[in-house]
Amino acid sequence: MPSLSDIKNLFPTKLHAVIFVGYMGLFISQGILITATKDNQNNYPYNPTTLVLLSEFLKFFVSCGLHIKDVGVQSLFQDIIKHSNVLLLYMIPAFLYCLYNNLAFTNLRSYDPTTYFLLLQFRVVITGVIFQVLFNKKLSRTQWFSLILLTIGCIIKHLHLSKETGLPKISFTLNMSLLMILLQIFCSCFAGVYNEYLLKDKGDSAPFMLQNVFMYTDSVICNVLLLSYSGEIYNVFLKKNIDSVLHPIVLTVVLNNGAIGIVTAMFLKSLNSILKTFASALELMFTAILSWIIFGIPVNFMTIVAIGIVSFATLLYAKNPVDNTPKTTGLSKV
């Protein structure tokens, strides 16, 4: 078991711990809420693209509002001009996140959900590699071992035992579909670590909330351009699609998603991408348990094994975590 000093290394202050728990809580809530919005035919009674774009606009307006609260309207425009280079830098993670979200729909047409989520778990190790390159921090053997264990646990979570053989059942071949999902994994990993790099290093000259304004400005632009290119932009703003989102439970999903964006930025600013992978894995496990309690979705043997492995990997990492301290500043700007 990790000692009190181990926990302090992982979460230097109470606020760090609150951000970690809040991040997990919001993502767990999002999974539960989205499941709750499905109808009896397991379909969404709303346009998901409309919901995603509304969420991006919400994140943008919340970030603007919080920054204006601190510095005023006039200073907002002055800061945007002063740090316009940071606005351009955020176009990279914004584009990658946009590409990731759209590749999800493409890849789910090529793979069943189990195979899809299994392959996505390799982003844990890839995140470690990209983290080392961008931050020039070499992970220790213990840290790598905990990451590999975490990957194994997440993979086991998405495996199902074959009724015929009693062995895990999974199949995929090296083809264009696999290359597309590898591209999606790279987008997820590089966008997350690069976002952290901007928050702590390259874009640190700009105030924290202004960086969020830049991120979601670029995100809205990328999503609108991609939807325009695909010819879907008109459908997003159809009255029936707007009306389908204006229901309490669906609006809760939008609000929760907006909160996720801000808390994720706080997480990357004050913690790091490596710890974020552990939070995401723990979120998968808690979601499985809560889905069983709330919706009666059974927890199978593989999930129980996965929970044990992920828990051990988390405890192992807690004994030797990556240093969370940013290069120049910590939580003071959050």
Side-chain angles (χ1 to χ4, degrees), residues 305-324:
V305 173
I307 290 172
I309 293 174
V310 167
S311 299
F312 179 72
T314 304
L315 294 175
L316 186 64
Y317 177 80
K319 285 189 166 295
N320 186 25
V322 171
D323 181 14
N324 293 324

Side-chain angles (χ1 to χ4, degrees), residues 2 18 23 59 68 75 107 110 113 136 213 223 241 244 256 273 294 296 304 309 318 330:
V18 169
Y23 174 87
K59 293 172 190 176
I68 289 171
S75 294
N107 290 327
S110 303
N136 196 26
V213 173
N223 277 281
N241 289 333
S244 69
N256 196 76
S273 302
I294 298 171
I304 295 171
I309 293 174

